Each structure stands twice: as C-alpha cells, then as structure tokens.
C-alpha cells in the first residue's frame, strides 16, 4: 500500500496539528504519545515518509535507531523507569494504527503491565509536563 500524506503524523510533521514535542532535528521529531500505554510513552518519528519499517529507506533506519537509543536512555532517567520497551508495528494486522514509521519508547515499571494500545487519552497537562521532563533529560 502507498504512503498516505494525510496520516496524522505527517500532519504533525507539517505543523498542521499540535503535539507535545520533546526534540526535533533535520531527520526526526520526538513527541509524547497522546494515549500512553505507560507513563512517559514517547514516539520517535523520522521525517522521511514511509508507511512503516517494511518500506523504509535503510539509510533512514540507520539514522533513527541511535536517536531511539538516546530517547530510551533519557526516558529511563526522566521517568525513573526500571526498564524500557521499544515497539514498532507494521500494517493493521501487525497492530499499526498510524501509517507513518515511528518507534514507541515506553518506560516500564516492575510489576506494571502496559495499558491497552491507543485507547485512553492522557490529560494535556500531564503530557506537557512529561515532555518537559524528557527534554531536560535529553539536554
Ligand atoms: P501504532 O499503532 O504503532 O501506529 O501507534 C500509533 C500511536 O500514535 C498510538 O500509540 C497512539 O496512541 C498515538 N497517537 C495517535 N494520534 C496521536 C497524536 N495526535 N499525537 C500523538 N500520538 C498519537
């Protein structure tokens, strides 16, 4: 299936709709997931258009993984996590709901399961505070 430029992350990347932004460089944007599965759930989104990992340019992947690592390390510290889960879904059957490549960085806490994927909207104030915490840890 072809990349659809009207997907919600493409619209965020174009600045058409807001996000709780943590970081941006020439190749990627990092922002808070609005329906977090865990406190501090963050998305690392390459700017280059691809539906997911399956059609991504390997050069884009080579640049994005070090950023995923950087965000994971910062998120573990910022949110006092015991661990971090990284997730990346491909096509509807693979659990994907937004068809622009992204990596989930999810702080994990001993004994705490993940919330259901893309289900419960978080308060904007909580997302804003978490974005600031993560920004500080990345600085
Ligand atoms: P996936 O199912 O891997 O495509 O994940 C898409 C993620 O994007 C889900 O975790 C949603 O909660 C999240 N999401 C959907 N819309 C937005 C939005 N406008 N801003 C931030 N995160 C979003």
């Amino acid at each position: 299936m072809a990349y659809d430029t009207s997907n919600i992350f493409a619209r965020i990347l174009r600045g058409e709709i807001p996000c709780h932004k943590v970081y941006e460089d020439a190749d990627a944007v990092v922002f808070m997931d609005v329906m977090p599965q865990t406190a501090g759930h963050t998305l690392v989104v390459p700017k280059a258009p691809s539906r997911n990992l399956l059609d991504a340019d390997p050069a884009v992947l080579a640049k994005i993984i070090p950023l995923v690592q950087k965000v994971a390390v910062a998120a573990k510290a910022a949110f006092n996590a015991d661990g971090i889960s990284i997730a990346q879904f491909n096509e509807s059957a693979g659990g994907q709901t937004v068809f622009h490549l992204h990596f989930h960085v999810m702080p994990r806490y001993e004994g705490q399961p993940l919330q259901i994927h893309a289900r419960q909207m978080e308060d904007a104030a909580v997302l804003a505070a978490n974005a600031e915490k993560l920004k500080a840890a990345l600085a």
Side-chain angles (χ1 to χ4, degrees), residues 14-34:
R14 290 196 295 268
E16 292 169 7
I17 57 171
C19 68
H20 293 278
K21 195 184 288 183
V22 172
Y23 173 85
E24 179 168 8
D25 63 23
D27 302 308
V29 176
V30 177
F31 52 85
M32 305 312 295
D33 194 305
V34 289

Side-chain angles (χ1 to χ4, degrees), residues 6 21 28 32 35 37 45 48 50-51 54 61 63 77 83 89 91 98 108 114 116-117 123-124 128 131-132 134 139:
S6 65
K21 195 184 288 183
M32 305 312 295
M35 290 172 270
Q37 288 183 258
V45 184
S50 75
R51 279 178 70 79
L54 304 177
L61 300 178
K63 275 193 174 163
F89 303 112
E91 301 300 334
V98 176
R108 301 300 303 273
L114 289 176
I116 295 170
H117 186 56
D123 282 350
E132 288 310 314
L134 188 50

Side-chain angles (χ1 to χ4, degrees), residues 49 59 64-65 105 129-130:
I64 205 74
I65 292 300
V105 176
N130 284 345

Side-chain angles (χ1 to χ4, degrees), residues 8-9 12 17-20 31-37 41 43 87-90 94-100 102-104 106 116-121 127:
I8 196 145
F9 290 174
I12 288 174
I17 57 171
C19 68
H20 293 278
F31 52 85
M32 305 312 295
D33 194 305
V34 289
M35 290 172 270
Q37 288 183 258
H41 183 166
L43 300 170
Q88 190 282 314
F89 303 112
N90 298 281
Q96 187 176 11
T97 58
V98 176
F99 298 96
H100 179 111
H102 55 280
F103 292 83
H104 297 261
M106 296 178 285
I116 295 170
H117 186 56
R119 177 70 60 88
Q120 177 82 40
M121 201 74 170
L127 295 171

